[in-house]
Structures are given as C-alpha cells and as structure tokens.
Amino acid sequence: MGRVTFPERAAEIDLDALRHNIRHLRDVAHPARVMAVVKADAYGHGALPVARAALEAGAAWLGVAHVSEGVALRKAGIEAPILAWLHTSRTDFTAGVEHGLDLGISGWELEHVVAAARELERPAIVHLKIDTGLGRNGCPPEQWEALLGRAVAHQEEGLIRVVGVFSHLAVADEPARPETDLQVQAFRDAVAAAEKAGIDVEVRHLANTPATLSRPDCHFDLVRVGLGIYGLSPFADQGSEDLGLRPVMTFSTTVANCKEVPAGQGVSYGYAYRTRKPTTLGLIPVGYADGVPRIATGAPVQVGGRVYPVVGRIAMDQFVIDLGATGLVDTPASPLGERAVLFGGRDAPPVEDWAAAAQTINYEVVTRISDRVERVYLDAPREGGDGTGS
C-alpha cells in the first residue's frame, strides 16, 4: 500500500480553475462586469479564499445572501463592493451599513436600513429589487412606484444612495422558455420607472449564470455568476467543458476496508442490495454527515483509474462500492488505502453524475459538503492581498 499524502477526507479547491472561470465569464459578459456570488461559504468551496481568488481574476463585485456573510468578508480585509440581498426582521442592518455593504431592498427593509443609516450618520448604499416573475423576494410590480417614491425621499434626506436596480430570473437554465423574455421586459420597465422617478441607476443587474452564458440581452451593467465560477454547468444538455469552464472542487477520500464476500451477501442497512456473485466490497469512509446524499445509490466512485458504483444504502459515515472482482485482498492489487474520488477534477466522475443519482442538481451536491471534510486549497492567493481585484 502506497503512502497517503492527502487528507482522509478532502474537498480540493482548485483556485487556478476558479480564476480561469472568472476570466472566461468576464470575456463572455464584456462590457458588463462580473459579480462573483460567494454566498453559502462560496457554494461549499470556502468564501474567503474564493473571494480573494475571484477578485484577483477580475471580478468587480462579490455577492452574498446574508449581511453576516458580507460582514465576515469585510472583517477579513475584503474591500471590493459586496451586495447582500436576503434579509429577515433580525438582520443586523446597522452592521451592514457600518461595514459598507450594498443592501438589496425589496420593500419592508427600507425603513430598517434608513434607521441604521440615521443612527450611524452614514448613508446606506442600496439596490432596489423588482420581482419580475420569480415570486420570491423583490417588490411586486404594483408596489414599485411607491417604493421608488420612498427611496427618492430618503435619498433626498441623505440617508441612502440608490445605486442599482436588480431582479432574478426563474427559468434561464431552460433557454427556449418564453418567460425569460417577459422578465427582461418587466425589468426594463422597472428601470425606466426608476429613472423617471429621478434615480440615477448606476448598476442594472439581472443575469445569473445561465443567462450570462446564453442571453446577452440580459447582461446590462453587471452579471451575477454563482454556479459558473465554480466550473459547473446550469444546462441539462451541456457540460462544463462545453461551456469553457473547469470544475473547481474535487471530493475524495481513501478506501478504508476491503473484503471478499460470497454471492447473496447483503450490503448496508435494509439489505437493499445483495451481491449477485462472489465479489470484493470496498468501504468508503464518507456518508451523509459529510454531505453525501443518502439516496445516491449507484453514483460513481473512481479508484485506481476505474469507476465503481455505490451499492446499498449510504450511511452517516460510510458507504460501500462493489469492486466486482475476487482475489484482491492481501495482494499488491488491493485497493485498500487507495484514493477514492467521488467527483471533480480531470478524468474523474462529474458532479452531475452524483446529482443524477441523488435526484437533485449539481449546485446542491457541492454546497452540502460538510465542514467535516477538510478543504485543501490548490494555488491559493497570497495572504495579505488588498482584496480589491485591482
């Protein structure tokens, strides 16, 4: 058995691949600028290393869901513009204003942000969000003019500065659907109304990753790319390579045990799988506590250059693969201790195969990898950089 030189459980994050993706998406979106979305700990990749690498590669903005995520980046020395857009009644708007975050406003939040700005004697920077059809947050169209009026009044008081108007697309990952055209027109109408109300709209942003890649008419001044910067495709009929992207995360561990079993051997809880013939089973020491989807039976694992299926139920800490051979145990050919790659990297199974087995999407699979899995950063940015992307 060869010497193991990587952690027992690792999510390797290739920051050079991430920089490549940022540069590629910049070229696609030009002259619009790129916002790198690093919410949810950068989709499980690590918010701070990813943010620094993205800015180094030319991203102009960072995007987070929660104010707390943006404040953490500020405290780590990131100076680039950061937009936070998902708030609750318990959001610390004072911290957001104090740390110079741009704040997305759908309606009810405006007075809370104004109160924070008044307390700090510092104007808040806001982007007004119009619901163009997604039906989540965002101001309903029939309330848009009223929100604009309130925003203009507070801006004249010097309590806020409205710099942007934005929205979010519902079906851009299905480019042939007509609803995107309707959303684009609704967005244009909302921007026109904001300008008519006297707002100087510096930044219009609507495009997510799929719209960045397939709808140039959605680019406007800024595109918000999440999935794409991590090298993953939003489209069912196109892979990362087709889009010029490189997957950033590789999830791997080691084969923890090997044993030969007879035909009819039950495997894991419930005996949902029984061996059809004598074979060798390999134990993979990650499970749903590590973020591996419990239902992903049949997903691929690469060991020694070959791919084997997950068999039986995935447990909290482990699952089993069927190596399909006998006579491996206690021989030089034994895979015991060999690296086992679940997904990512070159020549390894794509994360989409795991998503298919789990009946979900690639976004979820990478984002759910837990903190129990060590992040290993390849080609990490230098410590002490100013984080401005200049």
Side-chain angles (χ1 to χ4, degrees), residues 117-155:
R118 184 177 284 112
E119 175 188 345
L120 294 169
E121 297 182 344
R122 171 178 177 171
I125 306 171
V126 305
H127 299 229
L128 302 179
K129 186 173 186 181
I130 176 73
D131 182 1
T132 55
L134 184 59
R136 301 191 314 200
N137 64 356
C139 181
E142 60 271 17
Q143 298 174 22
W144 184 241
E145 287 193 10
L147 177 60
L148 293 174
R150 288 156 52 204
V152 168
H154 290 308
Q155 183 164 263

Side-chain angles (χ1 to χ4, degrees), residues 255 257-261 279-282 303 306 308 321-336:
V255 179
N257 192 31
C258 284
K259 62 182 178 183
E260 296 182 4
V261 298
T279 189
T280 302
L281 299 178
V303 178
R306 294 185 60 185
Y308 303 97
I321 58 174
D322 191 336
L323 297 164
T326 57
L328 293 178
V329 176
D330 297 326
T331 73
S334 172
L336 180 63

